[in-house]
Amino acid sequence: MNENQHIEGTVEHVTFRNESNGYLVLELNTGSELITVTGEIGEADEGEVLSLWGQYAPHPRYGMQFQAEACERKLPSTAADIERYLSSGAIKGIGKSLASKIVKAFGDDTLNIIEHQPERLMELRGMTQSKCDEIAKETKHIFALKSVISYFDNYGIKPKYAMRAFRLWGTDCRETVEKNPYLLCHETVGMDFRDVENYAHDLHIPKDAYCRVSAGIVHVLRHNASNDGHTCLPLDRLAKTAVSFLEINESVFYETYQKTLEEEIIIEYLKEEREFVYLPEYFYAEQYIARRIGILHRCQQQQNQSGYEAMIAEAEQHSGMTYAALQKQAILSALTEGMLILTGGPGTGKTTTLNAIISCFQKQKQEVLIAAPTGRAAKRISDLTGYPAKTIHRLLEVQFDASGLQKFVHDEENPLSCDVVIIDEMSMVDVLLFSSLLRALRTDCKLILVGDSDQLPSVGAGNLLQHLLESQCMTVITLKEIFRQAQKSLIVTNAHRIVSGRLPDLSRKDNDFFFFFREDFQEAADLLTDLACRRLPKAYSCSPVKDIQIICPTKIGILGTVEINKALQARLNPPDAQKPQVKSQVYEFRPGDKVMQTKNNYDITWVKDDETGKGIFNGDIGTILSVNRQQGEAVIDFDGRKTVYPLTMMEQLDLAYAITVHKSQGSEFDIVIMPVLGRLKNLTYRNLFYTAVTRAKKMLILIGTPDKIREMVRSVQRNFRYSCLKYMLGKELAVLASDNTEDT
């Protein structure tokens, strides 16, 4: 890696500023030239002197730029620079006219007087006491923030974390964090535990300090929740992991563990005489789900079935279809019971059944709301049913509190005003989101959950759908019959063979399911690229970007999404001097690229026709329309929702010519190509393979070896996840049964 270069100069103009993370684009006057500087360097205003370390990098449109990695700031020292600094609005309450008056009165000593002797501003004609106090207060805030940013920068801590810490602890920020540096791991600041470790080491915090060990325990639990989907961990496993990770002995762990329990930083739950340890949010979510389902059972009375048969017959006649016995049973259960889970694989008639259910409710003048976990899943169910659908987040109306934490408008105190809520793609819903949904339902609101339990579990923690099914806490109808039309599709019939543990038919070349044998990884990658970019578009007159989707088991390796994305981008959207680029840690983005949002962003505003809304969510796929380096922003179209992205947020995007199986869940694509080669044991299992296969609507192409496909089909490993939800549901149902016996 090249050695960092150093430049110093005065800020001439700030072109772009991101208040949340301190990313700036500015023009720096070094005395001999004007240099464009970019980077997360925190606060800076015109007239300030910056000493910067970083690298020069060429840009195809805007030329050479300096990408700053470290910054030392100096306030302006000459009267002229001070006047420019104050005129820029750096200190609220001081405009150009007042800046000129102040500098004329105090000259080079202006900033020193404003900071340490603000009462002297009263010497100016027309200055009031209230105005003087306002300037003094704002100056104290600005100078304190700059001091905090500089202090943290000395320890390699990015300005965005310094700014978040300053918002939490104000002028006492430095003293607070020095006493306990692991406060920076708090979710409202967001630093990773391992990054804080370096800072704590510089402060000589001992390894067995309570603040370190308690934060380490929380880190282990949070890591297992976000990376492996565990809502909790058995105490014995937590102890073993934490002792090894933190390099402490068991006695230190258990001593800290008990104190952390007492402070309610973590929660212990006893399940079958084994202790399970939770972060509070996951414990309360699972506990609430169990209790709320118990309440819904108590509040919702099963309705008499008489009269509904005629309604179902009328729905049959209206649709021109004859419903199978299980379909009729599902429709009847939806109409007469408070809660229902409808499951089934492809081609079994879930959509037909769902359409009939919605139609019957609407005939009864009942208001039905439909939602799904992702934007693409919501669009898909809306297209299939013809009824409007939203993401669950939009349904509940997400907001943020003063500390930046997520909350929803709709909850127990402000429930949704509807009679029925239908949630599609339930396998993707995690326990935190489901508990929020239940909080927003009136006790007389019907709940219908639709999903395929053979697919992958949610990205978020928990194995919710599976545990709801296994606990038998509500009526479950599983559609099994593959309808005649669907039987013509090899995608459908092979998907059912995979679920039942049988190998898919790889021999046929006359349908919608194709297999190409390749053993060599590079040959497989070359074939995949050629199929996507040339052969399929030529043969079927389809778009390689809109109609074809590569789905990979993994991100890494020559057949992982990263390398395949780069290969496809090079063919489909190569570099061009007329196309501005913006670089993330992994990719270079340019107009025309297909991209995917990789984390929920609730703040970003979008416009679609005459509608305006907020939020682009994990898994949403879009196209970059334009990149403007000077303004520091890009315009991206997500299925008609046009958004303006600050360039700092491009780290939230991946190229999406190729996506992982996990990211594809909830979506369907006309043509799917999937490589099935690799040595990653933890990604070689049946429900991952099944999920990928069922993403294809019109054509599926597999590239690899029969042995690898056989290995995936035979591996029945599910993403095992520690959770006590099924146990909690069982206890709640037992209490319910006992209450019913007593009533009888």
Side-chain angles (χ1 to χ4, degrees):
M1 190 172 182
N2 294 335
E3 187 177 339
N4 273 350
Q5 295 171 281
H6 173 254
I7 61 172
E8 186 170 308
T10 304
V11 177
E12 197 74 25
H13 177 63
V14 178
T15 307
F16 172 76
R17 185 191 306 269
N18 186 320
E19 301 287 353
S20 64
N21 62 12
Y23 181 89
L24 299 176
V25 179
L26 57 85
E27 300 298 322
L28 192 77
N29 189 342
T30 64
S32 58
E33 60 180 329
L34 205 60
I35 299 174
T36 300
V37 175
T38 66
E40 289 184 0
I41 55 179
E43 291 288 304
D45 293 286
E46 291 175 18
E48 271 192 275
V49 177
L50 301 182
S51 194
L52 301 164
W53 289 263
Q55 299 283 339
Y56 282 101
H59 186 273
R61 184 170 180 182
Y62 300 113
M64 196 65 71
Q65 297 179 337
F66 190 82
Q67 296 176 350
E69 296 175 16
C71 170
E72 183 181 308
R73 48 191 33 84
K74 303 171 185 177
L75 289 172
S77 55
T78 67
D81 284 342
I82 292 170
E83 183 173 344
R84 191 195 314 166
Y85 172 69
L86 294 177
S87 297
S88 71
I91 298 177
K92 188 177 177 183
I94 300 179
K96 288 187 178 181
S97 176
L98 184 54
S100 177
K101 285 182 184 179
I102 296 172
V103 173
K104 189 174 181 180
F106 303 116
D108 294 350
D109 206 28
T110 295
L111 292 180
N112 183 51
I113 286 171
I114 292 176
E115 182 179 8
H116 300 292
Q117 298 174 283
E119 67 279 359
R120 287 196 59 191
L121 293 175
M122 293 294 294
E123 297 173 16
L124 297 176
R125 188 176 178 182
M127 177 66 69
T128 64
Q129 185 64 55
S130 60
K131 183 72 171 176
C132 183
D133 291 343
E134 178 193 346
I135 292 172
K137 183 179 178 182
E138 180 67 15
T139 301
K140 184 178 179 182
H141 177 85
I142 292 291
F143 282 28
L145 175 56
K146 290 182 185 297
S147 174
V148 165
I149 290 172
S150 293
Y151 166 75
F152 280 123
D153 192 53
N154 292 332
Y155 292 97
I157 296 174
K158 291 184 177 180
K160 65 179 177 182
Y161 299 123
M163 293 166 76
R164 291 172 191 170
F166 186 79
R167 286 194 199 105
L168 274 181
W169 300 297
T171 54
D172 296 329
C173 175
R174 177 174 169 177
E175 292 77 9
T176 301
V177 173
E178 282 183 341
K179 289 177 184 175
N180 180 3
Y182 294 95
L183 289 171
L184 294 171
C185 299
H186 192 280
E187 59 186 326
T188 50
V189 178
M191 273 191 74
D192 186 87
F193 178 88
R194 286 159 294 200
D195 294 330
V196 176
E197 284 275 74
N198 298 325
Y199 173 48
H201 180 267
D202 290 341
L203 295 178
H204 307 293
I205 303 294
K207 281 191 173 183
D208 60 356
Y210 170 74
C211 64
R212 177 179 184 268
V213 178
S214 62
I217 291 170
V218 170
H219 169 75
V220 171
L221 290 170
R222 198 169 297 287
H223 176 85
N224 275 269
S226 59
N227 288 56
D228 301 315
H230 302 304
T231 60
C232 57
L233 287 180
L235 176 55
D236 52 352
R237 173 169 169 165
L238 173 63
K240 184 178 179 180
T241 304
V243 164
S244 173
F245 175 69
L246 297 171
E247 298 177 341
I248 55 175
N249 59 49
E250 278 196 8
S251 62
V252 170
F253 169 81
Y254 281 106
E255 182 182 339
T256 304
Y257 173 74
Q258 287 301 323
K259 190 175 178 184
T260 309
L261 276 180
E262 291 166 10
E263 294 183 357
E264 298 181 354
I265 295 171
I266 56 176
I267 293 174
E268 184 181 277
Y269 181 76
L270 195 63
K271 170 187 166 185
E272 296 171 342
E273 299 185 359
R274 191 181 186 189
E275 302 96 336
F276 285 80
V277 188
Y278 280 88
L279 292 171
E281 61 264 36
Y282 292 108
F283 173 76
Y284 292 125
E286 292 199 340
Q287 183 187 62
Y288 185 86
I289 290 168
R291 290 181 177 176
R292 190 67 176 179
I293 286 175
I295 290 171
L296 292 175
H297 271 293
R298 290 177 175 88
C299 294
Q300 296 181 344
Q301 298 296 320
Q302 186 167 344
Q303 295 169 274
N304 195 310
Q305 295 187 2
S306 62
Y308 286 113
E309 287 85 353
M311 187 180 290
I312 294 171
E314 187 180 339
E316 267 187 317
Q317 187 177 5
H318 181 73
S319 66
M321 297 182 179
T322 302
Y323 301 140
L326 277 175
Q327 288 181 302
K328 289 182 180 179
Q329 187 181 338
I331 300 165
L332 195 60
S333 295
L335 295 171
T336 60
E337 299 181 32
M339 294 177 285
L340 170 70
I341 299 178
L342 176 64
T343 71
T348 58
K350 286 204 303 291
T351 302
T352 300
T353 307
L354 196 55
N355 278 330
I357 289 170
I358 297 168
S359 175
C360 289
F361 279 130
Q362 290 190 327
K363 281 195 173 82
Q364 294 178 295
K365 306 297 183 186
Q366 293 189 305
E367 185 180 358
V368 179
L369 295 180
I370 307 173
T374 66
R376 290 186 70 83
K379 184 177 185 301
R380 176 176 169 271
I381 193 63
S382 182
D383 291 343
L384 289 172
T385 63
Y387 296 96
K390 298 179 178 179
T391 64
I392 300 173
H393 287 85
R394 286 191 68 200
L395 181 73
L396 301 180
E397 296 184 52
V398 68
Q399 285 187 339
F400 293 88
D401 60 22
S403 61
L405 297 179
Q406 173 187 298
K407 63 176 184 176
F408 292 105
V409 170
H410 293 289
D411 55 17
E412 296 98 332
E413 296 179 1
N414 181 27
L416 294 164
S417 58
C418 61
D419 304 297
V420 184
V421 167
I422 298 171
I423 304 297
D424 192 33
E425 294 290 354
M426 267 302 294
S427 62
M428 300 175 67
V429 179
D430 61 51
V431 296
L432 294 180
L433 186 56
F434 191 60
S435 68
S436 295
L437 174 70
L438 290 180
R439 290 179 194 278
L441 298 186
R442 300 195 316 253
T443 54
D444 62 344
C445 180
K446 291 181 181 291
L447 178 63
I448 299 170
L449 309 177
V450 184
D452 186 344
S453 61
D454 292 309
Q455 291 187 23
L456 291 168
S458 59
V459 173
N463 201 347
L464 178 67
L465 179 59
Q466 195 65 31
H467 290 155
L468 292 175
L469 292 168
E470 290 172 356
S471 67
Q472 299 181 342
C473 62
M474 59 185 79
T475 299
V476 177
I477 304 293
T478 302
L479 303 178
K480 297 176 181 177
E481 179 185 349
I482 307 175
F483 287 91
R484 186 176 303 166
Q485 187 65 29
Q487 288 176 3
K488 297 177 183 178
S489 166
L490 263 183
I491 294 173
V492 171
T493 56
N494 276 338
H496 285 273
R497 289 173 69 96
I498 291 165
V499 164
S500 63
R502 294 180 294 153
L503 290 177
D505 183 353
L506 304 178
S507 61
R508 291 178 59 180
K509 304 290 184 185
D510 62 341
N511 205 281
D512 55 5
F513 190 109
F514 300 94
F515 172 72
F516 288 86
F517 176 78
R518 292 292 186 278
E519 286 182 303
D520 181 81
F521 282 45
Q522 186 60 59
E523 288 181 7
D526 292 343
L527 173 61
L528 184 154
T529 304
D530 195 42
L531 282 167
C533 299
R534 184 182 65 86
R535 289 168 60 173
L536 291 174
K538 183 179 179 181
Y540 297 96
S541 300
C542 59
S543 164
V545 176
K546 294 181 180 178
D547 301 321
I548 299 173
Q549 185 61 60
I550 314 302
I551 297 180
C552 308
T554 179
K555 289 183 176 181
I556 63 175
I558 195 171
L559 291 172
T561 56
V562 173
E563 292 304 319
I564 290 178
N565 267 320
K566 290 178 179 178
L568 291 171
Q569 185 193 40
R571 288 276 295 269
L572 298 172
N573 192 25
D576 186 325
Q578 302 304 311
K579 287 186 177 181
Q581 294 188 153
V582 58
K583 190 172 183 178
S584 72
Q585 288 185 343
V586 179
Y587 297 114
E588 288 185 349
F589 299 106
R590 40 190 172 263
D593 274 332
K594 183 179 182 180
V595 293
M596 173 180 276
Q597 179 76 9
T598 61
K599 62 184 290 188
N600 290 339
N601 187 317
Y602 305 97
D603 292 328
I604 195 160
T605 301
W606 52 260
V607 176
K608 183 177 183 180
D609 300 325
D610 296 329
E611 183 186 4
T612 301
K614 274 194 169 187
I616 299 295
F617 301 109
N618 190 353
D620 286 351
I621 292 178
T623 303
I624 299 177
L625 301 181
S626 64
V627 173
N628 189 320
R629 296 281 304 188
Q630 286 294 98
Q631 295 180 11
E633 62 188 30
V635 178
I636 305 175
D637 185 334
F638 290 93
D639 285 327
R641 293 171 296 155
K642 292 183 180 178
T643 64
V644 178
Y645 266 57
L647 296 187
T648 53
M649 280 173 36
M650 300 298 275
E651 291 291 350
Q652 296 182 13
L653 299 174
D654 280 345
L655 288 178
Y657 303 103
I659 61 177
T660 62
V661 180
H662 287 83
K663 292 291 187 184
S664 73
Q665 202 168 357
S667 302
E668 281 188 333
F669 309 95
D670 283 353
I671 301 173
V672 169
I673 307 175
M674 181 184 183
V676 279
L677 275 173
R679 305 179 184 88
L680 295 169
K681 292 289 184 185
N682 61 333
L683 290 171
T684 303
Y685 49 92
R686 185 186 298 170
N687 60 336
L688 182 137
F689 187 38
Y690 170 78
T691 300
V693 168
T694 53
R695 299 311 90 203
K697 285 197 292 186
K698 297 180 180 178
M699 183 185 298
L700 175 73
I701 297 174
L702 302 178
I703 302 173
T705 66
D707 287 345
K708 192 64 182 179
I709 292 172
R710 186 178 295 109
E711 183 184 349
M712 296 184 83
V713 171
R714 289 179 176 173
S715 174
V716 293
Q717 168 198 346
R718 288 186 177 274
N719 292 28
F720 173 76
R721 296 179 170 193
Y722 285 110
S723 165
C724 298
L725 177 59
K726 181 182 172 183
Y727 180 78
M728 292 176 181
L729 285 164
K731 288 183 69 176
E732 193 65 38
L733 294 176
V735 171
L736 186 65
S738 175
D739 290 347
N740 290 339
T741 302
E742 288 178 12
D743 290 343
T744 303

